[in-house]
Amino acid sequence: MAKFSINDFHGVIPALVTAFDLDGTLNEDLTRGLTASLLSRGVDGFYLTGSTGEGFMMSPDERMRVVQVVCDEVAGRVPVMVHVGAISTYQTVALAQQAEAAGADAISSVPPIYWPFTPDQIVNYYTDVTASTSLPMVAYNITLAGALGFDMLARLATIEGLKGVKYTAPTHFEIGRMKREIGPQFRVFSGADEMAMSGLAFGADGLIGSFYNIIPELYADLTKAMAEGRLDDAKALQDKANDIIFFTLQQYPMSAVKRVMAWQGADAGYCRKPFDNYETPEQEAALKDAFRAFRDSHDLSGIGFLDGI
């Protein structure tokens, strides 16, 4: 049974990576360890098996197992939202019901993918999935899986139990519009890490993203600065975060995030192919050298993993 309500999701919520061995095997022990590490660093919740979690790279049974392992490790200390999106309503409902049974507090989904579904079919999808559990649903707007425009989100907001959106898009004026026209009770989670300050400025209720796996403290400080109206401080923190984000995106991005987590004492394993990996000690050493050179050429003191390498 869920412990938290949708209003308990706020602050800095990592879109949790999933740990795999180099051969692609799901590593439950590492997944448990990285969850515990982020809890110790004060994150405000978790978002599981989404894009960052390589959810579409896993079988339904593997996705279910990740949710079980993480919910068991979290043990009700922070709220957990599970991405359950799949190519069919049938499969999505099964994932949603398993997430509820495992102790998740909310579910989330991209719209149905691959075929060009009609607006009515998309609404029917969210209606059916939301009705399949007692958990609140958060729609997931991301261009990779088919963007949900304002008019569609307004329609989805009328579905009983659909309580918000994970909004991963640069059009942050829509966040303000949702808060005004759909209503302040409709929860909006900013999903663009490089625009967290903007998302919060337009009224986002929290942050969900990839880089909160490696620099959650920086974003916690940014969130606090925004809440206190210290805009100059918030901008300086966003600039630091963006330097790190843009540099990491020039590497093998998700594999680099996982290696950085390992340098912080929480080995997150590797990515599944066809993603690239830093497979050898020499490749990882070169990555670390690149981060050192990057650190030394930027004003990035006080960033834990950069100070530590």
Side-chain angles (χ1 to χ4, degrees):
M1 182 176 180
K3 179 178 178 180
F4 296 98
S5 76
I6 192 64
N7 291 330
D8 293 318
F9 285 90
H10 59 79
V12 179
I13 302 171
L16 190 67
V17 299
T18 303
F20 301 103
D21 293 333
L22 195 52
D23 65 2
T25 302
L26 175 65
N27 191 314
E28 295 183 13
D29 289 339
L30 291 187
T31 298
R32 189 178 292 275
L34 62 92
T35 303
S37 175
L38 284 167
L39 281 169
S40 73
R41 296 171 69 181
V43 299
D44 297 301
F46 290 102
Y47 187 93
L48 309 183
T49 60
S51 306
T52 303
E54 298 174 65
F56 286 113
M57 309 287 273
M58 290 186 276
S59 71
D61 285 346
E62 288 173 323
R63 291 172 68 172
M64 291 179 181
R65 186 57 189 155
V66 169
V67 173
Q68 290 167 342
V69 167
V70 174
C71 285
D72 181 66
E73 186 65 32
V74 169
R77 284 175 282 182
V78 296
V80 173
M81 187 182 301
V82 177
H83 175 256
V84 297
I87 202 165
S88 71
T89 302
Y90 176 84
Q91 189 177 80
T92 303
V93 165
L95 290 166
Q97 292 175 340
Q98 183 277 334
E100 182 173 37
D105 302 287
I107 54 174
S108 178
S109 180
V110 293
I113 60 173
Y114 187 73
W115 282 284
F117 294 102
T118 67
D120 285 348
Q121 288 169 332
I122 293 170
V123 171
N124 290 340
Y125 169 85
Y126 279 106
T127 300
D128 291 341
V129 176
T130 303
S132 72
T133 78
S134 65
L135 299 179
M137 163 65 81
V138 173
Y140 185 0
N141 177 60
I142 184 170
T143 304
L144 286 171
L148 296 168
F150 177 83
D151 290 343
M152 174 57 72
L153 287 169
R155 286 187 67 183
L156 296 181
T158 66
I159 297 171
E160 184 176 357
L162 196 147
K163 300 295 187 181
V165 61
K166 179 179 184 289
Y167 196 80
T168 306
T171 47
H172 280 188
F173 62 89
E174 296 281 27
I175 295 176
R177 188 181 178 194
M178 283 184 274
K179 285 297 185 179
R180 291 191 309 274
E181 297 186 29
I182 297 176
Q185 79 288 346
F186 189 73
R187 305 287 284 182
V188 181
F189 301 96
S190 180
D193 303 6
E194 69 278 14
M195 298 180 67
M197 180 184 179
S198 171
L200 293 170
F202 276 99
D205 299 289
L207 308 173
I208 300 175
S210 306
F211 283 85
Y212 314 146
N213 285 284
I214 61 173
I215 46 175
E217 297 89 353
L218 187 156
Y219 279 99
D221 289 344
L222 188 157
T223 300
K224 186 171 187 288
M226 287 297 290
E228 295 175 353
R230 294 183 285 108
L231 300 186
D232 288 344
D233 291 343
K235 184 180 183 303
L237 290 163
Q238 184 71 76
D239 287 342
K240 280 190 174 184
N242 286 358
D243 284 342
I244 294 166
I245 290 169
F246 298 143
F247 178 78
T248 305
L249 292 177
Q250 296 171 27
Q251 318 308 313
Y252 301 154
M254 287 314 305
S255 183
V257 165
K258 290 185 176 185
R259 291 299 85 212
V260 168
M261 294 181 77
W263 304 341
Q264 295 174 317
D267 192 348
Y270 300 91
C271 297
R272 276 190 167 167
K273 292 182 177 180
F275 286 127
D276 294 307
N277 280 293
Y278 297 92
E279 299 187 10
T280 67
E282 292 78 14
Q283 287 176 316
E284 186 166 347
L287 177 68
K288 190 174 284 190
D289 285 343
F291 268 106
R292 288 193 188 101
F294 160 71
R295 174 199 63 195
D296 294 344
S297 65
H298 291 70
D299 179 18
L300 290 171
S301 61
I303 304 296
F305 83 91
L306 291 174
D307 288 344
I309 60 172

